[in-house]
Amino acid sequence: MATVSLRVGDLVWGKLGRYPPWPGKIVNPPKDLKKPRGKKCFFVKFFGTEDHAWIKVDQLKSYHLHKEEMMKSTKGKRFQQAVDAVEEFIKSKDAFPEPSTVKRLVTGPVAGYKWKQVKDDPHFHHFLLSQSEKSESCSAIIQKLKTTAEEEAESTSIQAADSTATNGSVTPTDKRIGFLGLGLMGSGIVANLLKMGHTVTVWNRTGEKCDPFLQEGARLGRTPAEVVSTCDITLSCISDPKAAKDLVLGPSGVLQGIRPGKCYVDMSTVDPETSTEISQVITSRGGRFLEAPVSGNRQLSENGMLVILAAGDKALFDDCSSCFQAMGKKSFYLGEVGNASKMMLIVNMILGSFMASVAEGFTLAKIASQSQEVLLYILSQGPLASAFLDQKCQNILQGNFKPDFLLRNIQKDLRLAIAMGDSVNHSTPMAAAANEVFKKAKALDQSENDMSAIYLACNQ
């Protein structure tokens, strides 16, 4: 591993007193603040807070090189929000506020400083905001999305909603919630629904996966039809189009429990044709339908930090507000059924193609006798820096492909995205090439491992 010397401008993990390590940036201190005597230290601005402090060098670590271990040792929504703020700062390259805009909080060997409030600053706000303040800070982005939608397609309504739970809590709906499918994503979603006080009835094809949630207060549904018939809103998260249709149309399936007023929300990533077909059969029985695939992975699901893309019944989207707040950081309403599926496939097409390029690059580095560790550090300092890049590269370096996003699922999404391109006579050569490598990884029995296991196919 290359030795890294810290300097002003570097992103770091800083530990102050009894508090856990927190992400920050080394900045120049205000001119009137002297460095503590006899201590080698840097002045650090912490992300997601209003705190500054002198931190000893031995209490600082490189943000990029140690992100994986910090993310594993420290969990929680506010911590994740702080990390997200760092990643947004990296992407945006926004200027850091000047030290002259701070005021002294305390004096002594470790002097802290506090930034004056910067209106509508998206990167360095305090995360204990009221919901109204959050909505105000997002208003410009929301308005831009709405304006763009109106200009490009009058028939498509785009609405972004801040789904992050205020102060780590939400006011749960009084509606009875059902949930079908307790895989990598569904398990995290249900855990957060229960944590935030929702009344949840669960069902899974493999029944024992329900047991941990029953111990946390969930109710058990014997069949999908029973869950739908006893709940007001039933959500599902299934692996692929065939499974999604079988869940609805099969024996004792969702459709058997649908009657006027019953609501069904399909959170699976499927093709738009499948979503439209499910919508039609649900609404034909008087039910209400919303497609709401989620962007994220197991870790983001567990931390309640998913991004929800929804389309269909707008009133149902609103009724799901507290559920979406419990499971995600942002939800988008994209208009008519099919739009969310299309957008989700495009997002995952980009994700899968990027993963294939990263794996190919790390393979070439190894063959060309270049340090993969140094490659990761170099990438982490440039425009590609992201939590996704760091996590997947760490998987490659450690040879640990424990599933966070199943390889077979990203290959399925690439296949569906390519088919969607074909349906509109548009070629997707990059996705097609990536898809072939993922298929090769599946042939190497990597289907149930993380998508980063594509690296093993690149080495063949």
Side-chain angles (χ1 to χ4, degrees):
M1 178 74 72
T3 301
V4 180
S5 297
L6 297 176
R7 60 184 179 180
V8 172
D10 284 352
L11 298 175
V12 295
W13 296 95
K15 183 167 176 55
L16 181 62
R18 61 183 176 84
Y19 297 102
W22 205 258
K25 182 180 180 182
I26 297 176
V27 298
N28 287 314
K31 295 180 180 179
D32 63 340
L33 181 65
K34 295 181 179 180
K35 183 181 293 187
R37 293 181 179 179
K39 297 179 180 179
K40 188 174 182 180
C41 54
F42 285 105
F43 196 66
V44 176
K45 162 70 177 82
F46 289 103
F47 282 81
T49 77
E50 297 178 340
D51 299 326
H52 279 67
W54 286 108
I55 306 291
K56 295 180 182 179
V57 170
D58 61 4
Q59 296 298 311
L60 294 173
K61 293 183 177 181
S62 166
Y63 172 80
H64 295 290
L65 292 181
H66 296 274
K67 182 166 64 173
E68 181 74 12
E69 63 182 270
M70 296 303 177
M71 293 291 287
K72 289 181 179 179
S73 64
T74 309
K75 294 185 178 180
K77 185 164 286 191
R78 293 193 191 98
F79 174 78
Q80 181 63 53
Q81 289 171 324
V83 173
D84 288 345
V86 180
E87 302 301 326
E88 285 300 315
F89 169 72
I90 293 170
K91 294 176 186 176
S92 66
K93 296 183 173 62
D94 283 355
F96 222 70
E98 292 298 321
S100 61
T101 64
V102 302
K103 59 183 180 180
R104 182 167 298 182
L105 292 179
V106 296
T107 58
V110 179
Y113 275 69
K114 183 174 182 178
W115 294 99
K116 292 179 180 178
Q117 183 64 37
V118 181
K119 184 174 177 59
D120 293 330
D121 182 346
H123 302 297
F124 308 113
H125 64 283
H126 194 282
F127 280 101
L128 297 182
L129 292 176
S130 69
Q131 188 63 42
S132 62
E133 287 174 310
K134 281 186 175 183
S135 298
E136 180 180 355
S137 68
C138 294
S139 60
I141 298 174
I142 296 172
Q143 186 57 47
K144 184 176 181 180
L145 284 169
K146 288 181 178 178
T147 301
T148 302
E150 291 170 0
E151 291 176 351
E152 294 185 352
E154 294 182 0
S155 63
T156 301
S157 171
I158 299 180
Q159 176 177 332
D162 187 350
S163 294
T164 305
T166 307
N167 296 332
S169 64
V170 301
T171 301
T173 178
D174 58 2
K175 297 181 182 299
R176 295 163 296 181
I177 305 299
F179 201 94
L180 313 174
L182 299 173
L184 287 180
M185 305 293 280
S187 293
I189 290 172
V190 171
N192 281 300
L193 288 173
L194 291 169
K195 181 179 178 181
M196 297 302 174
H198 294 82
T199 299
V200 185
T201 299
V202 296
W203 174 90
N204 191 70
R205 184 177 57 183
T206 307
E208 56 264 27
K209 285 191 176 182
C210 297
D211 294 343
F213 303 104
L214 301 181
Q215 295 174 11
E216 296 298 322
R219 302 171 183 177
L220 179 64
R222 292 175 296 178
T223 66
E226 180 181 283
V227 173
V228 172
S229 64
T230 58
C231 294
D232 302 302
I233 300 174
T234 299
L235 302 90
S236 69
C237 192
I238 305 298
S239 60
D240 57 49
K242 182 180 184 304
K245 287 193 284 189
D246 288 346
L247 182 66
V248 174
L249 303 173
S252 300
V254 168
L255 193 60
Q256 301 303 312
I258 291 292
R259 59 178 185 269
K262 290 294 182 179
C263 303
Y264 184 57
V265 181
D266 191 347
M267 308 192 79
S268 314
T269 299
V270 299
D271 55 282
E273 292 78 15
T274 293
S275 192
T276 299
E277 181 181 345
I278 292 174
S279 173
Q280 290 172 346
V281 297
I282 295 296
T283 56
S284 70
R285 297 284 184 90
R288 299 163 61 197
F289 178 78
L290 187 75
E291 59 169 351
V294 291
S295 179
N297 52 34
R298 176 190 55 78
Q299 183 176 340
L300 293 176
S301 176
E302 291 175 352
N303 292 338
M305 298 297 289
L306 296 170
V307 175
I308 301 102
L309 309 182
D313 190 314
K314 177 58 168 63
L316 179 51
F317 173 79
D318 295 334
D319 288 343
C320 290
S321 175
S322 73
C323 295
F324 292 163
Q325 287 179 32
M327 69 179 75
K329 67 176 180 179
K330 189 75 67 178
S331 58
F332 293 87
Y333 179 74
L334 302 176
E336 64 182 20
V337 171
N339 285 345
S341 295
K342 292 176 183 177
M343 188 67 79
M344 188 75 261
L345 290 179
I346 294 169
V347 169
N348 283 356
M349 179 186 75
I350 295 171
L351 196 69
S353 299
F354 179 63
M355 182 69 251
S357 293
V358 170
E360 187 172 73
F362 269 71
T363 301
L364 181 58
K366 178 181 178 181
I367 294 172
S369 301
Q370 296 300 301
S371 169
Q372 292 180 326
E373 289 83 358
V374 172
L375 172 59
L376 172 56
Y377 183 64
I378 292 171
L379 290 173
S380 71
Q381 299 302 300
L384 295 179
S386 65
F388 175 83
L389 175 76
D390 187 76
Q391 181 192 51
K392 300 311 178 188
C393 291
Q394 290 291 348
N395 288 353
I396 292 172
L397 294 177
Q398 297 168 14
N400 180 2
F401 302 108
K402 180 181 178 181
D404 196 53
F405 193 127
L406 287 174
L407 186 142
R408 61 176 168 83
N409 283 345
I410 194 67
Q411 190 275 320
K412 173 262 299 182
D413 296 343
L414 281 167
R415 172 173 54 82
L416 295 178
I418 293 167
M420 184 172 73
D422 290 342
S423 71
V424 293
N425 297 316
H426 180 74
S427 63
T428 51
M430 300 300 109
N435 186 46
E436 291 303 314
V437 187
F438 276 106
K439 286 163 63 176
K440 183 177 180 180
K442 287 178 63 178
L444 295 173
D445 295 326
Q446 298 302 314
S447 291
E448 302 304 315
N449 282 334
D450 187 73
M451 68 160 73
S452 52
I454 189 179
Y455 173 73
L456 300 177
C458 293
N459 275 273
Q460 293 294 309

